[in-house]
């Protein structure tokens, strides 16, 4: 599974994003985090092997999320579906 | 080999046919068209850029752009899941275009990815994100009262692709059937 780490000044929270490489909403979300200097990691699900995709789907569903991307997991707890700057801001306290 | 220009022309033609507009932000639009192009290159068909395709045509059929969920999403929210196709009033009034919940039923996704059935029957929680009930939505026959064009789908089209009549001009065709025994 290719996890890409994007460095940023704000390292207060652990931010993981499941994304799709071709998805415009995912791109917008990535940009939002970069603009806000948030350090985060992402995985482009469409570029993963089927085995890894299965693990990702299981992970999202186990956390009560829906199979929709981007899905952001903050501090292993909070799950945010879709491009949602307000929810991200709230979760990250920015 | 498909080009970005071809993908753009196809989307424009399709939007015109159904009375939609493409996303007003050129950069966002470009990202989506690039995504469609990439999918066409890697899968052989332009599957939805914002969904994970299985790569198997028969399972991805419903998410080939324009997907089966476009029209109900445009009717309900004013734009499709990706935001590629947008309703006229949303563009004209510059209403916000945002992420919307995935309408594709979990069952369809499960079939495409061959997920374990027990995972599907019991979603961890009733999330607003996935419209489970849409799986049961029944398709009906609709005809355009102006030109006679007939379609089989959940709701009538936004406009008639043939004569451009508004959706109000569509009526349902009810077929009476008696089952004895
Ligand atoms: S959501 Fe929009 S862009 Fe994606 S496949 Fe459906 S119609 Fe095409």
């Amino acid at each position: 599974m290719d996890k890409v780490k994007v460095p940023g000044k704000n390292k207060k929270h652990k931010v993981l994003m499941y994304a799709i490489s071709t998805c415009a909403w995912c791109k917008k979300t990535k940009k939002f985090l970069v603009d806000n200097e948030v350090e985060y990691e992402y995985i482009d699900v469409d570029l993963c092997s089927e085995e890894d995709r299965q693990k990702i789907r299981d992970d999202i569903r186990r956390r009560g999320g829906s199979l929709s991307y981007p899905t952001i997991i903050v501090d292993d707890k909070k799950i945010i579906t879709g491009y949602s700057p307000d929810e991200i801001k709230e979760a990250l306290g920015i | 080999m498909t080009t970005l220009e071809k993908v753009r022309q196809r989307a424009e033609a399709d939007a015109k046919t159904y009375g939609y507009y493409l996303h007003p932000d050129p950069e966002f639009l470009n990202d989506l068209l690039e995504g469609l192009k990439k999918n066409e290159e890697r899968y052989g068909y332009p599957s939805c850029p914002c969904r994970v395709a299985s790569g198997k045509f028969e399972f991805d059929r419903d998410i080939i752009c324009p997907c089966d969920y476009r029209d109900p999403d445009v009717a309900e929210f004013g734009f499709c899941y990706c935001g590629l196709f947008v309703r006229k009033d949303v563009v004209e009034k510059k209403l916000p275009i945002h992420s919307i919940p995935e309408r594709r039923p979990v069952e369809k996704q499960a079939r495409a990815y061959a997920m374990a059935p027990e995972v599907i029957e019991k979603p961890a929680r009733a999330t607003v994100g996935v419209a489970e009930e849409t799986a049961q939505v029944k398709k009906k026959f609709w005809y355009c009262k102006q030109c006679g064009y007939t379609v089989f789908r959940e709701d009538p089209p936004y406009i008639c692709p043939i004569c451009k009549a508004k959706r109000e001009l569509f009526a349902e065709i009810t077929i009476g059937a008696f089952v004895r025994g």
Side-chain angles (χ1 to χ4, degrees):
Chain A
M1 219 184 285
D2 262 343
K3 207 186 257 182
V4 183
K5 187 173 187 141
V6 182
K9 274 194 215 144
N10 184 345
K11 303 183 206 319
K12 260 187 274 164
H13 297 273
K14 182 175 170 235
V15 182
L16 171 67
M17 175 177 9
Y18 292 131
I20 300 175
S21 69
T22 50
C23 165
W25 292 119
C26 300
K27 202 172 160 191
K28 245 180 126 91
T29 310
K30 288 173 183 170
K31 186 171 180 302
F32 175 83
L33 292 173
V34 169
D35 288 349
N36 284 281
E37 299 181 323
V38 175
E39 179 156 304
Y40 72 99
E41 288 182 314
Y42 73 86
I43 296 169
D44 279 332
V45 183
D46 58 313
L47 305 178
C48 291
S49 68
E50 186 43 43
E51 199 187 329
D52 287 339
R53 285 188 202 176
Q54 185 60 54
K55 282 186 201 145
I56 292 165
R57 286 192 296 265
D58 290 346
D59 187 40
I60 295 175
R61 292 185 69 89
R62 195 178 47 237
R63 295 169 190 275
S66 61
L67 296 180
S68 180
Y69 304 94
T71 285
I72 298 148
I73 300 159
V74 180
D75 294 329
D76 270 320
K77 287 198 297 274
K78 173 128 182 82
I79 187 156
I80 300 168
T81 308
Y83 172 66
S84 182
D86 290 346
E87 269 184 276
I88 298 174
K89 275 191 202 160
E90 202 194 308
L92 299 180
I94 52 175
Chain B
M1 191 65 170
T2 188
T3 63
L4 192 64
E5 216 26 58
K6 267 194 216 157
V7 176
R8 183 187 300 272
Q9 279 167 9
R10 201 172 45 210
E12 276 170 358
D14 201 76
K16 209 167 159 216
T17 304
Y18 288 91
Y20 300 144
Y21 284 68
L22 296 183
H23 197 291
D25 173 3
E27 199 187 319
F28 192 88
L29 174 61
N30 215 60
D31 288 343
L32 287 172
L33 297 173
E34 286 281 5
L36 282 167
K37 177 171 174 272
K38 181 165 177 203
N39 282 351
E40 191 162 344
E41 281 162 6
R42 61 179 168 176
Y43 305 124
Y45 43 84
S47 69
C48 183
C50 304
R51 293 181 169 108
V52 181
S54 71
K56 296 172 214 109
F57 176 78
E58 61 277 28
F59 294 128
D60 294 338
R61 210 189 283 258
D62 60 317
I63 54 163
I64 293 176
C65 190
C67 64
D68 288 3
Y69 314 102
R70 178 186 67 173
D71 295 342
D73 277 338
V74 174
E76 185 174 345
F77 300 100
F79 33 86
C80 70
Y81 182 63
C82 292
L84 176 61
F85 294 100
V86 184
R87 213 170 52 202
K88 193 174 173 206
D89 58 297
V90 174
V91 173
E92 280 174 354
K93 292 187 204 138
K94 295 195 168 59
L95 300 175
I97 301 169
H98 48 81
S99 277
I100 56 172
E102 169 63 296
R103 188 182 292 271
R104 189 184 196 204
V106 180
E107 294 80 353
K108 285 248 177 170
Q109 302 204 38
R111 221 168 47 114
Y113 312 130
M115 288 195 303
E118 63 272 20
V119 186
I120 306 134
E121 273 159 28
K122 288 189 231 93
R125 160 158 79 81
T127 47
V128 198
V130 180
E132 249 105 39
E133 69 273 23
T134 51
Q136 272 96 45
V137 174
K138 282 202 209 85
K139 289 192 180 172
K140 299 167 189 159
F141 279 105
W142 300 92
Y143 78 101
C144 171
K145 289 196 263 185
Q146 191 162 283
C147 74
Y149 167 74
T150 308
V151 271
F152 183 60
R153 44 187 268 166
E154 284 167 29
D155 296 302
Y158 181 57
I159 65 161
C160 172
I162 307 299
C163 74
K164 312 286 177 221
K166 285 201 186 132
R167 101 179 308 191
E168 291 78 55
L169 276 168
F170 274 84
E172 194 188 331
I173 305 178
T174 43
I175 304 164
F178 256 126
V179 182
R180 282 173 185 263

